[in-house]
Amino acid sequence: MKQKHTKHKAKPYRQVAPVRKNEKFSKNYSYIQRSKQMEESHRKERLPALTGNNSFEPVADLLPELQNDVDQTGFYEQLVNGFNSVQTSRLLSTNESDGTSLPEPVKTVEKESKTPVQTHDDFDSYNSFSKRFDFDLSAENINDLISRKDATLIKSSWPAVGNLKFEIPQLDANAQNPDCSPPSDISNSSDLQKLEVKMSICAKVAYPLSALQSELFHIANNYQDLYYPHRTHSNAEEIRYMYCLHALNHMLKVRSLILRNNEKVAALAKSLKLSPNEISIPETFRDQGLKRMKVLFIVPFRESALKIVKLIGDLLFGIQDDQARKNSMANYERFVQDYSGNTIYFPKTNPKPFDYEQTFSGNTDDNFKIGLRFTKKAVSLFSDMNASDILIASPLGLRMLVTDKESDFDFLNSIELLIIDQAELFLAQNWENLLHSLDHLHLQPQKLPDTNCQRVRTWCLSGASSFYRQTLFFSSHELPEFRAVLNSKCQNYQGKVRITNLVEHGDIRNVITPIQQVFRRINCTNVESSFDDRFQHFVKHIMPQFSKPGFSHCMLYVPSYFDFVRIRNQFKTDMISFVQISEYTKKEKISRARDIFFHSGASVLLYSERAHFFRRTRIKGIRNLIMYQPPNFPHFYSELINLMLESNQNPRDGFGDEMSVSILYTKYDLLSLSNVVGSENALKLTTGKKDSYLFSTKT
């Protein structure tokens, strides 16, 4: 029986407006200027008789209440101007009722010298930290940074890192170019003190720092973005030590500045006989972001997070035993239990490659996030995200935080230092997780923070926080995906530094199988069409030979899983005899596929790059190797070709010495080709007149 419709209709569900990126910086910046004008008007209109010729700020609460339907621009306008709309009737009525006058305001900073608190000018007033965060970008500056206009390019060469390329935005016509000459080594505490490192850290650093550490730290300490694509297993710990030193130094500077200003605000409130939340705070005390978190580490495994936390503890408290470390770092015992162990078993009879054991040693769980909170005498682990100073997370763990509907991700709004280490491993995990997480930094908060808006820096209120974020990016080699992150996600107003060393030889020199390798270029017009052009070339020119009689023992190596699925579907449509091994294939099916392929039961083995990354399976019986695209991990090139040695062949397959290697590429695979054949040869492959090139390792 149908229900009758009533006259009263149900109210439609009101969805929360989605969070959007701050794009109209010029409008947001005007709110800051308007807020200053409103402050002046409040001084003149409401307190003319009480203040006389002296300046006096109106009373302010922490934050105004936010309306439910506030939009993108209204949010920042309300946040900036909210404390000006607070009524001062409480202050006036209190003094009128008892007949007393307002206390004399503090005219100059020197009057605070009676308290043990030192003035702002006494503490690092002219260092790189203060210069960076006290500088306010204009709307014109922001537009120039977005369009990458008027940037100065400076090339240099340093002993340890090699060739560098500085890209410095010209925000001031009278500004001088920075000194790009090689820095001196850091061998003792005085060298670090000259670089404005906190004294508490200098006493606990393991001296001397290596030449690589010294040069990288000079770049990081200048608060420029850094792209270093030459991380290896041998220098990994040096790099990790360097960026932990920089992150801790930055965090302690932020904390000490806030604590000093807290004491000044308390002294000012005491002189006015008011609570700190009721007074109007001078502009010079703006020292915070909208949220507390300032440093974000993105690393692939729990083992990496374990090493970072231990290094921070060593730099902050010195070398300690387990009991002392438990006292100085809260929840340390729980942390060690959760982030150690679970090591992958490495067989001794059939050992894995050295780089595999180095990569997967320790706890390799890739779903984690942990917050660190600094207190006066200790560090608290597993702290709440909104109360944490540092966050260490994997791309997957960070994405789960962002997509959690039960909580917000406002704590990512005010990140000032982003460190991405072992970026090449994110390609094997899920590169989209990293991009998705980076897109959610510095977005408009979903809720008004509990920070006193009078203490928030003006560039945070104007939505320009992303231009004050420094990014340190480390990888083992160069790839277009890494360059894209640096160019599209990093907009540091102090510029960026990229290491530009050319690849001299490439991984092809590690090939020991005597075989000819043919590189076939696929012509395409643009990047978007290159995916379809590559597939169409493969279907028209490569696949027909799979159906020829006698063709067998061919491995098709596919770096991208999307291409893997596309080719697999095409094989099924054309009834191609094949077996497949991907990262999702179970061990039993892998063994069965290897056996069928070795004994000529299937002509083609469809093999994904991620399957090889996570398992390093030694496939035997490969006579023909086709790489659908140059590998993202360059050492896989020689590793796969070396599987074609005579000792790995089936002597009964009847093919004798017939073997071939083909690599398909486009001109947009320049960086991947450079890792394989060297930068000079890669340039010839992508710009030459021919469409095929032959490399031979025959003796």
Side-chain angles (χ1 to χ4, degrees):
M1 188 174 180
K2 296 184 179 180
Q3 295 181 353
K4 296 182 179 180
H5 295 284
T6 59
K7 296 182 179 179
H8 302 284
K9 297 182 178 180
K11 295 182 179 180
Y13 176 72
R14 190 175 187 179
Q15 294 182 349
V16 181
V19 180
R20 295 168 291 179
K21 298 188 73 171
N22 308 319
E23 296 178 352
K24 298 182 179 180
F25 295 99
S26 58
K27 289 187 178 181
N28 292 332
Y29 186 80
S30 65
Y31 302 151
I32 307 299
Q33 307 302 325
R34 187 165 57 191
S35 67
K36 294 181 180 179
Q37 296 176 2
M38 293 183 66
E39 289 178 12
E40 294 295 334
S41 64
H42 277 285
R43 294 191 189 102
K44 295 179 181 179
E45 295 176 2
R46 299 191 177 187
L47 300 172
L50 295 174
T51 59
N53 296 328
N54 298 327
S55 61
F56 190 83
E57 303 285 348
V59 177
D61 290 332
L62 277 177
L63 284 174
E65 294 183 359
L66 182 64
Q67 300 177 1
N68 293 331
D69 56 348
V70 68
D71 60 358
Q72 166 80 11
T73 55
F75 174 87
Y76 287 106
E77 182 177 14
Q78 191 177 143
L79 187 60
V80 175
N81 301 328
F83 70 90
N84 290 314
S85 62
V86 180
Q87 298 295 329
T88 58
S89 57
R90 178 174 52 177
L91 175 63
L92 295 176
S93 61
T94 303
N95 291 278
E96 289 175 357
S97 61
D98 57 7
T100 59
S101 60
L102 283 171
E104 185 71 18
V106 180
K107 296 182 180 179
T108 60
V109 180
E110 285 76 15
K111 284 194 174 184
E112 298 182 19
S113 60
K114 296 180 181 180
T115 64
V117 183
Q118 291 178 282
T119 62
H120 182 73
D121 293 337
D122 294 331
F123 287 91
D124 306 325
S125 296
Y126 301 101
N127 64 16
S128 58
F129 176 84
S130 298
K131 283 182 179 180
R132 173 174 176 79
F133 296 104
D134 291 343
F135 178 75
D136 287 329
L137 292 170
S138 64
E140 183 179 358
N141 293 149
I142 292 176
N143 291 330
D144 291 342
L145 288 172
I146 295 176
S147 60
R148 303 182 67 179
K149 182 181 178 182
D150 298 332
T152 301
L153 300 180
I154 305 174
K155 295 182 179 180
S156 183
S157 180
W158 293 3
V161 299
N163 298 321
L164 304 90
K165 184 178 181 181
F166 294 80
E167 183 178 337
I168 311 298
Q170 295 299 309
L171 304 179
D172 186 0
N174 300 323
Q176 297 180 353
N177 293 329
D179 183 16
C180 300
S181 58
S184 57
D185 292 339
I186 301 174
S187 57
N188 50 52
S189 177
S190 60
D191 293 336
L192 275 183
Q193 293 178 31
K194 293 177 183 177
L195 297 176
E196 304 159 1
V197 178
K198 301 290 289 185
M199 285 286 294
S200 57
I201 304 178
C202 293
K204 300 177 179 66
V205 173
Y207 299 103
L209 298 184
S210 66
L212 176 63
Q213 289 176 318
S214 299
E215 293 179 5
L216 292 179
F217 184 78
H218 274 83
I219 298 173
N221 197 53
N222 289 333
Y223 283 99
Q224 296 166 326
D225 290 344
L226 171 62
Y227 174 44
Y228 184 77
H230 301 288
R231 183 190 187 277
T232 63
H233 293 293
S234 59
N235 64 18
E237 295 305 320
E238 296 181 43
I239 294 174
R240 184 179 288 112
Y241 192 91
M242 181 280 302
Y243 65 63
C244 287
L245 172 62
H246 175 60
L248 183 60
N249 183 48
H250 174 79
M251 196 62 252
L252 293 184
K253 285 184 177 181
V254 171
R255 177 173 170 76
S256 60
L257 176 62
I258 293 175
L259 291 178
R260 289 197 303 268
N261 287 342
N262 286 346
E263 294 180 0
K264 296 176 187 178
V265 171
L268 180 61
K270 185 177 181 181
S271 65
L272 297 175
K273 298 181 180 180
L274 296 171
S275 67
N277 294 337
E278 293 178 328
I279 66 171
S280 181
I281 302 174
E283 288 287 323
T284 56
F285 289 168
R286 291 188 180 272
D287 54 6
Q288 301 178 26
L290 292 174
K291 303 299 290 187
R292 175 166 178 163
M293 188 178 295
K294 293 295 182 290
V295 180
L296 172 61
F297 292 90
I298 302 181
V299 289
F301 301 128
R302 285 180 181 254
E303 177 68 16
S304 305
L306 176 66
K307 293 179 179 179
I308 290 174
V309 172
K310 288 184 176 181
L311 281 178
I312 290 176
D314 292 342
L315 291 170
L316 195 58
F317 306 108
I319 305 299
Q320 298 176 315
D321 55 22
D322 292 341
Q323 185 59 41
R325 185 56 55 89
K326 292 177 184 178
N327 296 331
S328 58
M329 304 187 79
N331 301 318
Y332 182 75
E333 185 176 1
R334 171 192 168 190
F335 169 73
V336 173
Q337 291 177 355
D338 291 351
Y339 282 77
S340 60
N342 296 331
T343 303
I344 296 178
Y345 171 73
F346 301 117
K348 296 181 179 179
T349 56
N350 190 15
K352 299 288 186 180
F354 173 77
D355 67 283
Y356 181 87
E357 296 186 0
Q358 292 292 315
T359 300
F360 290 98
S361 61
N363 193 326
T364 56
D365 181 18
D366 63 348
N367 184 9
F368 65 91
K369 62 272 185 186
I370 179 171
L372 281 71
R373 179 178 180 178
F374 288 79
T375 60
K376 290 184 178 180
K377 297 182 179 180
V379 174
S380 178
L381 304 176
F382 298 99
S383 57
D384 182 76
M385 293 300 156
N386 290 299
S388 298
D389 298 300
I390 295 177
L391 173 62
I392 308 174
S394 64
L396 177 59
L398 192 57
R399 181 165 187 170
M400 293 183 67
L401 280 175
V402 169
T403 57
D404 187 3
K405 296 181 180 180
E406 297 182 358
S407 60
D408 57 65
F409 51 88
D410 293 347
F411 52 86
L412 298 175
N413 173 270
S414 303
I415 298 296
E416 296 173 355
L417 177 58
L418 170 64
I419 299 174
I420 302 175
D421 195 11
Q422 297 175 272
E424 69 279 359
L425 301 186
F426 302 149
L427 289 172
Q429 293 176 343
N430 192 335
W431 185 251
E432 183 61 29
N433 289 339
L434 177 65
L435 299 181
H436 186 272
S437 300
L438 295 181
D439 287 338
H440 286 75
L441 299 181
H442 311 291
L443 295 185
Q444 170 191 319
Q446 298 175 347
K447 302 176 183 177
L448 277 176
D450 54 0
T451 308
N452 190 336
C453 64
Q454 299 180 80
R455 296 285 296 274
V456 177
R457 298 185 186 272
T458 55
W459 44 265
C460 284
L461 298 174
S462 64
S465 300
S466 61
F467 301 98
Y468 290 82
R469 188 197 75 216
Q470 180 189 26
T471 303
L472 306 181
F473 193 100
F474 302 97
S475 65
S476 62
H477 52 274
E478 282 212 77
L479 282 177
E481 291 84 351
F482 304 158
R483 291 269 190 100
V485 169
L486 188 71
N487 294 331
S488 62
K489 310 292 184 184
C490 304
Q491 297 174 319
N492 187 354
Y493 85 86
Q494 288 192 251
K496 60 188 67 173
V497 180
R498 182 166 61 88
I499 311 302
T500 59
N501 296 323
L502 299 178
V503 181
E504 185 176 358
H505 299 291
D507 187 67
I508 195 172
R509 65 176 178 175
N510 297 323
V511 175
I512 59 177
T513 303
I515 190 173
Q516 292 183 344
Q517 303 139 56
V518 181
F519 288 76
R520 304 182 186 278
R521 186 173 64 196
I522 303 171
N523 295 320
C524 52
T525 56
N526 53 61
V527 178
E528 289 77 12
S529 66
S530 62
F531 303 98
D532 291 331
D533 293 340
R534 190 193 305 270
F535 180 74
Q536 295 301 328
H537 178 89
F538 175 78
V539 172
K540 293 180 181 179
H541 299 90
I542 305 298
M543 278 189 59
Q545 62 181 315
F546 294 167
S547 302
K548 292 181 179 179
F551 183 85
S552 185
H553 293 272
C554 175
M555 172 190 280
L556 178 58
Y557 176 83
V558 186
S560 171
Y561 184 73
F562 298 103
D563 292 330
F564 181 92
V565 174
R566 190 176 188 182
I567 295 173
R568 182 185 62 188
N569 295 338
Q570 188 66 36
F571 279 1
K572 292 180 179 179
T573 302
D574 294 350
M575 303 295 289
I576 301 296
S577 174
F578 77 101
V579 290
Q580 59 177 318
I581 298 178
S582 70
E583 58 271 28
Y584 303 109
T585 307
K586 297 181 179 179
K587 292 183 178 180
E588 297 80 9
K589 292 187 177 181
I590 292 176
S591 300
R592 183 171 179 270
R594 293 174 62 189
D595 184 70
I596 293 175
F597 179 73
F598 183 76
H599 293 95
S600 306
S603 58
V604 180
L605 169 61
L606 188 58
Y607 193 50
S608 72
E609 183 175 73
R610 293 174 64 184
H612 191 69
F613 173 83
F614 286 110
R615 294 191 177 96
R616 294 297 182 86
T617 306
R618 294 183 178 179
I619 308 296
K620 296 183 178 181
I622 305 173
R623 291 287 183 179
N624 304 282
L625 174 62
I626 300 176
M627 293 187 176
Y628 188 76
Q629 188 178 354
N632 290 322
F633 298 88
H635 58 284
F636 286 1
Y637 180 82
S638 61
E639 190 170 312
L640 290 172
I641 296 180
N642 290 336
L643 291 177
M644 302 174 68
L645 289 171
E646 188 63 29
S647 58
N648 294 325
Q649 302 299 336
N650 184 356
R652 300 179 182 179
D653 58 13
F655 284 92
D657 297 334
E658 296 180 9
M659 291 191 298
S660 65
V661 175
S662 298
I663 299 92
L664 306 181
Y665 72 95
T666 68
K667 61 182 179 181
Y668 301 108
D669 295 324
L670 176 63
L671 294 178
S672 301
L673 287 172
S674 299
N675 298 326
V676 174
V677 299
S679 299
E680 184 177 353
N681 289 328
L683 186 61
K684 295 179 181 178
L685 291 178
T686 53
T687 60
K689 296 181 180 180
K690 299 180 181 180
D691 290 337
S692 61
Y693 296 85
L694 178 66
F695 289 80
S696 178
T697 55
K698 285 190 175 183
T699 56

